[in-house]
Amino acid sequence: MTFENSWLFPVIESIHVMGLAAFVGTIVLADLHTLGAIPDTGPLTRWTHGGLAVMLVTGAAMFFSDTSRYLHNPAFHLKLTILLVALAAHFTLRRRGTRFTAILSLVLWSAVVLAARAIADFDV
Amino acid sequence: MFNPLLELARLLQDTSLRLELSQSTWTVPIIGAIHVLAIAWFGGTVVIPDSQLRRFRWIGLAILLLTGFLLFWSQPLRLYYSQFFRAKILLLVLITLAACLPARLARFGILVSLALWAGVILASRGIAYR
């Protein structure tokens, strides 16, 4: 599956970013509410899980469009490692809803975003 | 005809900061990373009615505008001539107008701004390629 020379890759990339805004965007709102920094915004889990589903599907599509690009990219390895830790923490520790788990969640997801952005800077 | 955006692009193009930004290895990637991180941190507010998170939303917009302006500064003329950049600016103007909708249309406003922000993201990715 290769489509990096067409309009399809940028479109899938864009949908990945839209999923990011919904997924991490709503996690951040819930974590900041746990920390008392912002008011309660009501239930957001539908946006969180919808965003996660969109990110996993579009992420897999991009990965399989050029597996060797990603497998040789150090930033991708870092991103995937932090992503697995962040997902594990999200579905276990974070349920406790403490200040510590909220800060951990903010740090881990921010690190995933930064490592993901760096993929474009570490192409070999 | 006087074209303020083109004049601004020309003005920034000739500054020493433009040269430094475009020649530095890490400055633009770091500013770009902060720009994307701001999307992740503040993107969720698009689906929340305005009155609840006004301050938080403005912080996000300020970070996006500041980092976005610096990214523009790093290659003003290329962006001025990019069709996707023009589309992005147009969509941002429409979002500003949609934000002025009366409060009784809040739900409609959220749907409109969601669609417009989706367009902004599409246009932004397009800029990276053309």
PDB file of all heavy atoms in Angstrom, chain B residues 12-40:
ATOM      1  N   LEU B  12       8.602  40.811   6.214  1.00  0.00           N
ATOM      2  CA  LEU B  12       9.194  39.769   7.061  1.00  0.00           C
ATOM      3  C   LEU B  12      10.295  39.025   6.321  1.00  0.00           C
ATOM      4  O   LEU B  12      11.292  38.612   6.914  1.00  0.00           O
ATOM      5  CB  LEU B  12       8.120  38.784   7.537  1.00  0.00           C
ATOM      6  CG  LEU B  12       7.011  39.369   8.405  1.00  0.00           C
ATOM      7  CD1 LEU B  12       6.001  38.284   8.787  1.00  0.00           C
ATOM      8  CD2 LEU B  12       7.578  40.005   9.667  1.00  0.00           C
ATOM      9  N   GLN B  13      10.121  38.859   5.012  1.00  0.00           N
ATOM     10  CA  GLN B  13      11.090  38.121   4.204  1.00  0.00           C
ATOM     11  C   GLN B  13      12.479  38.748   4.303  1.00  0.00           C
ATOM     12  O   GLN B  13      13.485  38.045   4.306  1.00  0.00           O
ATOM     13  CB  GLN B  13      10.623  38.085   2.745  1.00  0.00           C
ATOM     14  CG  GLN B  13      11.447  37.189   1.831  1.00  0.00           C
ATOM     15  CD  GLN B  13      11.093  35.707   1.992  1.00  0.00           C
ATOM     16  OE1 GLN B  13      10.001  35.360   2.407  1.00  0.00           O
ATOM     17  NE2 GLN B  13      12.035  34.832   1.665  1.00  0.00           N
ATOM     18  N   ASP B  14      12.531  40.084   4.419  1.00  0.00           N
ATOM     19  CA  ASP B  14      13.811  40.795   4.403  1.00  0.00           C
ATOM     20  C   ASP B  14      14.408  40.987   5.795  1.00  0.00           C
ATOM     21  O   ASP B  14      15.422  41.668   5.931  1.00  0.00           O
ATOM     22  CB  ASP B  14      13.630  42.169   3.738  1.00  0.00           C
ATOM     23  CG  ASP B  14      13.352  42.023   2.255  1.00  0.00           C
ATOM     24  OD1 ASP B  14      13.793  41.004   1.678  1.00  0.00           O
ATOM     25  OD2 ASP B  14      12.688  42.903   1.681  1.00  0.00           O
ATOM     26  N   THR B  15      13.789  40.408   6.830  1.00  0.00           N
ATOM     27  CA  THR B  15      14.336  40.595   8.177  1.00  0.00           C
ATOM     28  C   THR B  15      15.429  39.562   8.457  1.00  0.00           C
ATOM     29  O   THR B  15      15.454  38.486   7.862  1.00  0.00           O
ATOM     30  CB  THR B  15      13.234  40.437   9.251  1.00  0.00           C
ATOM     31  OG1 THR B  15      12.642  39.151   9.097  1.00  0.00           O
ATOM     32  CG2 THR B  15      12.176  41.511   9.112  1.00  0.00           C
ATOM     33  N   SER B  16      16.310  39.917   9.416  1.00  0.00           N
ATOM     34  CA  SER B  16      17.369  38.970   9.769  1.00  0.00           C
ATOM     35  C   SER B  16      16.798  37.788  10.543  1.00  0.00           C
ATOM     36  O   SER B  16      17.342  36.682  10.494  1.00  0.00           O
ATOM     37  CB  SER B  16      18.457  39.665  10.587  1.00  0.00           C
ATOM     38  OG  SER B  16      17.893  40.271  11.726  1.00  0.00           O
ATOM     39  N   LEU B  17      15.676  38.009  11.265  1.00  0.00           N
ATOM     40  CA  LEU B  17      15.064  36.899  12.002  1.00  0.00           C
ATOM     41  C   LEU B  17      14.594  35.815  11.031  1.00  0.00           C
ATOM     42  O   LEU B  17      14.725  34.610  11.306  1.00  0.00           O
ATOM     43  CB  LEU B  17      13.875  37.391  12.841  1.00  0.00           C
ATOM     44  CG  LEU B  17      13.184  36.306  13.676  1.00  0.00           C
ATOM     45  CD1 LEU B  17      14.121  35.745  14.737  1.00  0.00           C
ATOM     46  CD2 LEU B  17      11.911  36.824  14.330  1.00  0.00           C
ATOM     47  N   ARG B  18      14.067  36.222   9.858  1.00  0.00           N
ATOM     48  CA  ARG B  18      13.628  35.233   8.853  1.00  0.00           C
ATOM     49  C   ARG B  18      14.814  34.358   8.446  1.00  0.00           C
ATOM     50  O   ARG B  18      14.708  33.132   8.372  1.00  0.00           O
ATOM     51  CB  ARG B  18      13.053  35.962   7.640  1.00  0.00           C
ATOM     52  CG  ARG B  18      12.155  35.121   6.759  1.00  0.00           C
ATOM     53  CD  ARG B  18      12.887  34.256   5.765  1.00  0.00           C
ATOM     54  NE  ARG B  18      13.712  35.030   4.845  1.00  0.00           N
ATOM     55  CZ  ARG B  18      14.633  34.518   4.056  1.00  0.00           C
ATOM     56  NH1 ARG B  18      14.881  33.221   4.075  1.00  0.00           N
ATOM     57  NH2 ARG B  18      15.344  35.295   3.260  1.00  0.00           N
ATOM     58  N   LEU B  19      15.949  35.018   8.240  1.00  0.00           N
ATOM     59  CA  LEU B  19      17.154  34.287   7.839  1.00  0.00           C
ATOM     60  C   LEU B  19      17.584  33.308   8.936  1.00  0.00           C
ATOM     61  O   LEU B  19      17.886  32.148   8.668  1.00  0.00           O
ATOM     62  CB  LEU B  19      18.272  35.288   7.541  1.00  0.00           C
ATOM     63  CG  LEU B  19      19.340  34.833   6.555  1.00  0.00           C
ATOM     64  CD1 LEU B  19      18.727  34.585   5.194  1.00  0.00           C
ATOM     65  CD2 LEU B  19      20.452  35.882   6.456  1.00  0.00           C
ATOM     66  N   GLU B  20      17.569  33.802  10.183  1.00  0.00           N
ATOM     67  CA  GLU B  20      17.983  32.949  11.297  1.00  0.00           C
ATOM     68  C   GLU B  20      17.031  31.768  11.469  1.00  0.00           C
ATOM     69  O   GLU B  20      17.458  30.634  11.689  1.00  0.00           O
ATOM     70  CB  GLU B  20      18.054  33.751  12.593  1.00  0.00           C
ATOM     71  CG  GLU B  20      19.291  34.649  12.676  1.00  0.00           C
ATOM     72  CD  GLU B  20      19.202  35.641  13.815  1.00  0.00           C
ATOM     73  OE1 GLU B  20      18.691  35.262  14.885  1.00  0.00           O
ATOM     74  OE2 GLU B  20      19.629  36.800  13.629  1.00  0.00           O
ATOM     75  N   LEU B  21      15.722  32.040  11.383  1.00  0.00           N
ATOM     76  CA  LEU B  21      14.731  30.971  11.532  1.00  0.00           C
ATOM     77  C   LEU B  21      14.909  29.913  10.453  1.00  0.00           C
ATOM     78  O   LEU B  21      14.879  28.708  10.721  1.00  0.00           O
ATOM     79  CB  LEU B  21      13.306  31.535  11.453  1.00  0.00           C
ATOM     80  CG  LEU B  21      12.778  32.287  12.672  1.00  0.00           C
ATOM     81  CD1 LEU B  21      11.461  32.982  12.336  1.00  0.00           C
ATOM     82  CD2 LEU B  21      12.592  31.354  13.850  1.00  0.00           C
ATOM     83  N   SER B  22      15.112  30.366   9.205  1.00  0.00           N
ATOM     84  CA  SER B  22      15.160  29.398   8.111  1.00  0.00           C
ATOM     85  C   SER B  22      16.494  28.654   8.068  1.00  0.00           C
ATOM     86  O   SER B  22      16.582  27.589   7.470  1.00  0.00           O
ATOM     87  CB  SER B  22      14.874  30.087   6.771  1.00  0.00           C
ATOM     88  OG  SER B  22      15.777  31.146   6.570  1.00  0.00           O
ATOM     89  N   GLN B  23      17.529  29.212   8.717  1.00  0.00           N
ATOM     90  CA  GLN B  23      18.827  28.542   8.691  1.00  0.00           C
ATOM     91  C   GLN B  23      19.076  27.660   9.908  1.00  0.00           C
ATOM     92  O   GLN B  23      19.937  26.781   9.873  1.00  0.00           O
ATOM     93  CB  GLN B  23      19.949  29.572   8.543  1.00  0.00           C
ATOM     94  CG  GLN B  23      20.017  30.130   7.124  1.00  0.00           C
ATOM     95  CD  GLN B  23      21.050  31.231   6.984  1.00  0.00           C
ATOM     96  OE1 GLN B  23      21.597  31.705   7.980  1.00  0.00           O
ATOM     97  NE2 GLN B  23      21.303  31.646   5.754  1.00  0.00           N
ATOM     98  N   SER B  24      18.322  27.906  11.002  1.00  0.00           N
ATOM     99  CA  SER B  24      18.516  27.102  12.205  1.00  0.00           C
ATOM    100  C   SER B  24      17.941  25.705  12.017  1.00  0.00           C
ATOM    101  O   SER B  24      16.865  25.522  11.447  1.00  0.00           O
ATOM    102  CB  SER B  24      17.833  27.798  13.394  1.00  0.00           C
ATOM    103  OG  SER B  24      17.553  26.860  14.392  1.00  0.00           O
ATOM    104  N   THR B  25      18.670  24.699  12.500  1.00  0.00           N
ATOM    105  CA  THR B  25      18.223  23.317  12.321  1.00  0.00           C
ATOM    106  C   THR B  25      16.993  22.999  13.168  1.00  0.00           C
ATOM    107  O   THR B  25      16.084  22.308  12.733  1.00  0.00           O
ATOM    108  CB  THR B  25      19.358  22.343  12.707  1.00  0.00           C
ATOM    109  OG1 THR B  25      20.560  22.795  12.087  1.00  0.00           O
ATOM    110  CG2 THR B  25      19.052  20.926  12.262  1.00  0.00           C
ATOM    111  N   TRP B  26      16.985  23.508  14.408  1.00  0.00           N
ATOM    112  CA  TRP B  26      15.974  23.030  15.355  1.00  0.00           C
ATOM    113  C   TRP B  26      14.891  24.029  15.709  1.00  0.00           C
ATOM    114  O   TRP B  26      13.853  23.641  16.256  1.00  0.00           O
ATOM    115  CB  TRP B  26      16.669  22.526  16.624  1.00  0.00           C
ATOM    116  CG  TRP B  26      17.367  21.232  16.354  1.00  0.00           C
ATOM    117  CD1 TRP B  26      18.714  21.025  16.297  1.00  0.00           C
ATOM    118  CD2 TRP B  26      16.754  19.987  16.019  1.00  0.00           C
ATOM    119  NE1 TRP B  26      18.979  19.718  15.965  1.00  0.00           N
ATOM    120  CE2 TRP B  26      17.790  19.055  15.789  1.00  0.00           C
ATOM    121  CE3 TRP B  26      15.428  19.569  15.889  1.00  0.00           C
ATOM    122  CZ2 TRP B  26      17.541  17.733  15.437  1.00  0.00           C
ATOM    123  CZ3 TRP B  26      15.174  18.249  15.539  1.00  0.00           C
ATOM    124  CH2 TRP B  26      16.230  17.357  15.317  1.00  0.00           C
ATOM    125  N   THR B  27      15.107  25.327  15.435  1.00  0.00           N
ATOM    126  CA  THR B  27      14.131  26.316  15.905  1.00  0.00           C
ATOM    127  C   THR B  27      12.743  26.083  15.318  1.00  0.00           C
ATOM    128  O   THR B  27      11.753  25.992  16.051  1.00  0.00           O
ATOM    129  CB  THR B  27      14.609  27.746  15.576  1.00  0.00           C
ATOM    130  OG1 THR B  27      15.967  27.873  15.984  1.00  0.00           O
ATOM    131  CG2 THR B  27      13.774  28.768  16.303  1.00  0.00           C
ATOM    132  N   VAL B  28      12.657  25.961  13.989  1.00  0.00           N
ATOM    133  CA  VAL B  28      11.341  25.785  13.358  1.00  0.00           C
ATOM    134  C   VAL B  28      10.677  24.456  13.772  1.00  0.00           C
ATOM    135  O   VAL B  28       9.496  24.447  14.106  1.00  0.00           O
ATOM    136  CB  VAL B  28      11.452  25.955  11.827  1.00  0.00           C
ATOM    137  CG1 VAL B  28      10.180  25.488  11.132  1.00  0.00           C
ATOM    138  CG2 VAL B  28      11.724  27.416  11.490  1.00  0.00           C
ATOM    139  N   PRO B  29      11.432  23.320  13.784  1.00  0.00           N
ATOM    140  CA  PRO B  29      10.794  22.096  14.283  1.00  0.00           C
ATOM    141  C   PRO B  29      10.260  22.220  15.709  1.00  0.00           C
ATOM    142  O   PRO B  29       9.187  21.693  16.019  1.00  0.00           O
ATOM    143  CB  PRO B  29      11.921  21.057  14.216  1.00  0.00           C
ATOM    144  CG  PRO B  29      12.789  21.531  13.110  1.00  0.00           C
ATOM    145  CD  PRO B  29      12.747  23.034  13.170  1.00  0.00           C
ATOM    146  N   ILE B  30      11.001  22.936  16.576  1.00  0.00           N
ATOM    147  CA  ILE B  30      10.535  23.079  17.966  1.00  0.00           C
ATOM    148  C   ILE B  30       9.278  23.947  18.025  1.00  0.00           C
ATOM    149  O   ILE B  30       8.301  23.607  18.699  1.00  0.00           O
ATOM    150  CB  ILE B  30      11.663  23.650  18.864  1.00  0.00           C
ATOM    151  CG1 ILE B  30      12.745  22.581  19.081  1.00  0.00           C
ATOM    152  CG2 ILE B  30      11.107  24.120  20.199  1.00  0.00           C
ATOM    153  CD1 ILE B  30      14.016  23.101  19.728  1.00  0.00           C
ATOM    154  N   ILE B  31       9.274  25.061  17.271  1.00  0.00           N
ATOM    155  CA  ILE B  31       8.072  25.910  17.251  1.00  0.00           C
ATOM    156  C   ILE B  31       6.895  25.120  16.671  1.00  0.00           C
ATOM    157  O   ILE B  31       5.768  25.186  17.180  1.00  0.00           O
ATOM    158  CB  ILE B  31       8.325  27.196  16.433  1.00  0.00           C
ATOM    159  CG1 ILE B  31       9.445  28.021  17.078  1.00  0.00           C
ATOM    160  CG2 ILE B  31       7.054  28.041  16.354  1.00  0.00           C
ATOM    161  CD1 ILE B  31       9.914  29.187  16.224  1.00  0.00           C
ATOM    162  N   GLY B  32       7.154  24.333  15.610  1.00  0.00           N
ATOM    163  CA  GLY B  32       6.103  23.504  15.019  1.00  0.00           C
ATOM    164  C   GLY B  32       5.571  22.474  16.009  1.00  0.00           C
ATOM    165  O   GLY B  32       4.367  22.209  16.054  1.00  0.00           O
ATOM    166  N   ALA B  33       6.467  21.908  16.820  1.00  0.00           N
ATOM    167  CA  ALA B  33       6.048  20.923  17.819  1.00  0.00           C
ATOM    168  C   ALA B  33       5.157  21.567  18.867  1.00  0.00           C
ATOM    169  O   ALA B  33       4.146  20.986  19.285  1.00  0.00           O
ATOM    170  CB  ALA B  33       7.275  20.291  18.464  1.00  0.00           C
ATOM    171  N   ILE B  34       5.513  22.801  19.296  1.00  0.00           N
ATOM    172  CA  ILE B  34       4.672  23.505  20.275  1.00  0.00           C
ATOM    173  C   ILE B  34       3.300  23.803  19.656  1.00  0.00           C
ATOM    174  O   ILE B  34       2.261  23.691  20.312  1.00  0.00           O
ATOM    175  CB  ILE B  34       5.363  24.805  20.746  1.00  0.00           C
ATOM    176  CG1 ILE B  34       6.687  24.471  21.454  1.00  0.00           C
ATOM    177  CG2 ILE B  34       4.456  25.596  21.679  1.00  0.00           C
ATOM    178  CD1 ILE B  34       7.552  25.686  21.756  1.00  0.00           C
ATOM    179  N   HIS B  35       3.294  24.170  18.363  1.00  0.00           N
ATOM    180  CA  HIS B  35       2.047  24.451  17.643  1.00  0.00           C
ATOM    181  C   HIS B  35       1.129  23.214  17.672  1.00  0.00           C
ATOM    182  O   HIS B  35      -0.063  23.329  17.976  1.00  0.00           O
ATOM    183  CB  HIS B  35       2.404  24.832  16.196  1.00  0.00           C
ATOM    184  CG  HIS B  35       1.329  25.555  15.456  1.00  0.00           C
ATOM    185  ND1 HIS B  35       0.925  26.835  15.771  1.00  0.00           N
ATOM    186  CD2 HIS B  35       0.572  25.183  14.390  1.00  0.00           C
ATOM    187  CE1 HIS B  35      -0.032  27.216  14.931  1.00  0.00           C
ATOM    188  NE2 HIS B  35      -0.274  26.226  14.082  1.00  0.00           N
ATOM    189  N   VAL B  36       1.689  22.044  17.375  1.00  0.00           N
ATOM    190  CA  VAL B  36       0.881  20.810  17.361  1.00  0.00           C
ATOM    191  C   VAL B  36       0.464  20.421  18.782  1.00  0.00           C
ATOM    192  O   VAL B  36      -0.665  19.969  19.015  1.00  0.00           O
ATOM    193  CB  VAL B  36       1.652  19.661  16.690  1.00  0.00           C
ATOM    194  CG1 VAL B  36       0.870  18.361  16.783  1.00  0.00           C
ATOM    195  CG2 VAL B  36       1.915  19.978  15.232  1.00  0.00           C
ATOM    196  N   LEU B  37       1.386  20.612  19.747  1.00  0.00           N
ATOM    197  CA  LEU B  37       1.045  20.293  21.128  1.00  0.00           C
ATOM    198  C   LEU B  37      -0.128  21.160  21.595  1.00  0.00           C
ATOM    199  O   LEU B  37      -1.006  20.691  22.333  1.00  0.00           O
ATOM    200  CB  LEU B  37       2.270  20.509  22.036  1.00  0.00           C
ATOM    201  CG  LEU B  37       2.164  19.949  23.456  1.00  0.00           C
ATOM    202  CD1 LEU B  37       1.923  18.435  23.420  1.00  0.00           C
ATOM    203  CD2 LEU B  37       3.422  20.255  24.253  1.00  0.00           C
ATOM    204  N   ALA B  38      -0.178  22.411  21.149  1.00  0.00           N
ATOM    205  CA  ALA B  38      -1.290  23.299  21.506  1.00  0.00           C
ATOM    206  C   ALA B  38      -2.603  22.786  20.906  1.00  0.00           C
ATOM    207  O   ALA B  38      -3.660  22.895  21.535  1.00  0.00           O
ATOM    208  CB  ALA B  38      -1.006  24.725  21.049  1.00  0.00           C
ATOM    209  N   ILE B  39      -2.541  22.204  19.690  1.00  0.00           N
ATOM    210  CA  ILE B  39      -3.753  21.602  19.100  1.00  0.00           C
ATOM    211  C   ILE B  39      -4.239  20.470  20.004  1.00  0.00           C
ATOM    212  O   ILE B  39      -5.428  20.333  20.279  1.00  0.00           O
ATOM    213  CB  ILE B  39      -3.465  21.071  17.677  1.00  0.00           C
ATOM    214  CG1 ILE B  39      -3.107  22.229  16.740  1.00  0.00           C
ATOM    215  CG2 ILE B  39      -4.673  20.301  17.129  1.00  0.00           C
ATOM    216  CD1 ILE B  39      -2.618  21.769  15.370  1.00  0.00           C
ATOM    217  N   ALA B  40      -3.279  19.642  20.480  1.00  0.00           N
ATOM    218  CA  ALA B  40      -3.639  18.515  21.333  1.00  0.00           C
ATOM    219  C   ALA B  40      -4.216  18.991  22.674  1.00  0.00           C
ATOM    220  O   ALA B  40      -5.191  18.438  23.174  1.00  0.00           O
ATOM    221  CB  ALA B  40      -2.411  17.628  21.576  1.00  0.00           C
TER     222      ALA B  40
END
